[in-house]
Amino acid sequence: MAHDRLPMIILADDLTGAMDVGLEAVRKGRCVEVRISQMPHEAMALPGVPDDSAGIAGDAACGRVLVMSSESRNLGEAEARERVRSILAHAPCPGIAYKKVDSTLRGNIGAELEAALTAGGYDLAVLVLSLPAAGRTVRNGMLVLNGMPVTESDLSKDPFAPVHSPYPAVVIRSQTEMPIGHVPIETVHQGMIPTFCHLMDLYGKGRRIIVADAETETDLQVLALALAKLPLRVLPCGSAGLLSAIVTPQAPCGGVDPCRRAAFIQKPWLVLSASPADATRRQIARAACHGFRVLRPSSEEIDPGSLVQSVWGSLLRGQDVVVDLAGESKEKIGLRYWQDPQGLLDAGRRIRERAGGVALGLYGRGMDPPLVLFGGDTAQAVLSGLGAEAVQLCGAVEPNVPWGVIRGGKAHGGLVVTKAGGFGTDDLLGRLKKGVWHG
């Protein structure tokens, strides 16, 4: 099989993570498609590509990247493990090129790494969580966010996926018995060869999952070079930072015509958010300063038709709209449901259904506003509800805030911006409206 038909395949655990990591490949000139599916194994179907043609080597040859999400971050440990195994079992080639995990340690990281290692036949998984541009670094095996342990941030209070330790090894060890090793920052600072030797030494001692420290982009480059030299079947894992260091630049594969993007920007925006993260709350608070109408449905029992009607009326008048379905902070939500886990799951499901219902109701009336989706569950609910098959990634509004064009379904050809709850500047929606984008 000719290598020019082979795409690079990346697996994330939620949709905004998939979009975020795909953005790094776009920045390196790759053509990136993020798949939207109802069942995890559907994400591996490669239209127009023979079943035996998907593989890691294709990244270097054709520049195409396929990203999918297992939608497993908020599942139980056993279900998340099985879902990753199912994806690899349905993969048209043995394995994936990169395993994206949450850069703040949320989710089933240990269970999913174990499943990927065993089902994919890898010798070793190397986890690098650092994302220096977003203030996320690892030193002495501890994840730090903007100078403080990640467990002191609001992101660790996620009611669906709380973080109980700032040490990746501790989090992983709680979900798997696989031996874990550590590459300290002092070794990384010595360069590629000492880092390579340390990784080989840990593998020789039976370590199957290795957590590596990194504080700068240079550290990530050292680790990427060391991984490339290992005579092993290695699964690189981590944030978008390590992927950016791994993928080599090439000439851009093309994108959306700037005139077409300008036409999108001239339409009124619809922002749907179910993220209670502090960064998202600040962004929504600033939205009114830029002329957005902010709707905060006060009751979970509000008539969905009335909400759609209200949003529809504003869009018809040319007004941008934010629908904030989260309302409370992560900590308050966690406290409200701390003794009622089923109630928490039911509340999350209702919020997702309402977000999807608003988008579906508007597109059913012939409205096609460009969409801004805050939170991975929100993005998945809205795009799958609209019947979208994929998003062709095109660029970034801000770092870690990607935008792309929807493929398939009722919103085919429409523009979508996605954002994980903790990313983006406070003035993100203002930049979006003014068209002051990074690319």
Side-chain angles (χ1 to χ4, degrees), residues 342-386:
Q342 188 57 50
L344 176 64
L345 293 175
D346 291 342
R349 175 184 51 77
R350 287 194 297 271
I351 289 173
R352 293 191 297 272
E353 288 175 352
R354 292 169 74 198
V358 171
L360 191 60
L362 292 170
Y363 275 87
R365 294 177 181 221
M367 295 288 292
D368 59 344
L371 296 170
V372 185
L373 307 175
F374 287 178
D377 287 345
T378 309
Q380 174 66 25
V382 170
L383 292 176
S384 63
L386 290 170

Side-chain angles (χ1 to χ4, degrees), residues 71-72 74-85 108:
E71 292 303 308
S72 53
N74 298 337
L75 296 179
E77 179 183 326
E79 190 176 357
R81 182 182 283 107
E82 185 53 39
R83 186 165 292 189
V84 170
R85 284 176 179 159
N108 296 286

Side-chain angles (χ1 to χ4, degrees), residues 102-106 134-136 143-159 161-166 276-279 282 329-331 421-422:
D102 179 59
S103 60
T104 60
L105 279 175
R106 292 175 298 168
R136 302 167 190 204
L143 176 61
V144 171
L145 175 57
N146 296 325
M148 62 182 180
V150 70
T151 43
E152 296 181 18
S153 72
D154 78 294
L155 297 176
S156 70
K157 307 302 189 294
D158 189 323
V163 180
H164 300 295
S165 172
D278 286 353
R282 292 193 299 269
S329 69
K330 290 187 174 189
E331 192 166 13

Side-chain angles (χ1 to χ4, degrees), residues 93-110:
C93 69
I96 52 179
Y98 195 81
K99 177 67 177 79
K100 165 71 168 63
V101 304
D102 179 59
S103 60
T104 60
L105 279 175
R106 292 175 298 168
N108 296 286
I109 296 176

Side-chain angles (χ1 to χ4, degrees), residues 4 44 119 149 167 193 241 276 302 338 400:
D4 62 2
M44 295 301 300
Y167 294 95
I193 293 177
I302 189 172
W338 75 279
N400 308 116

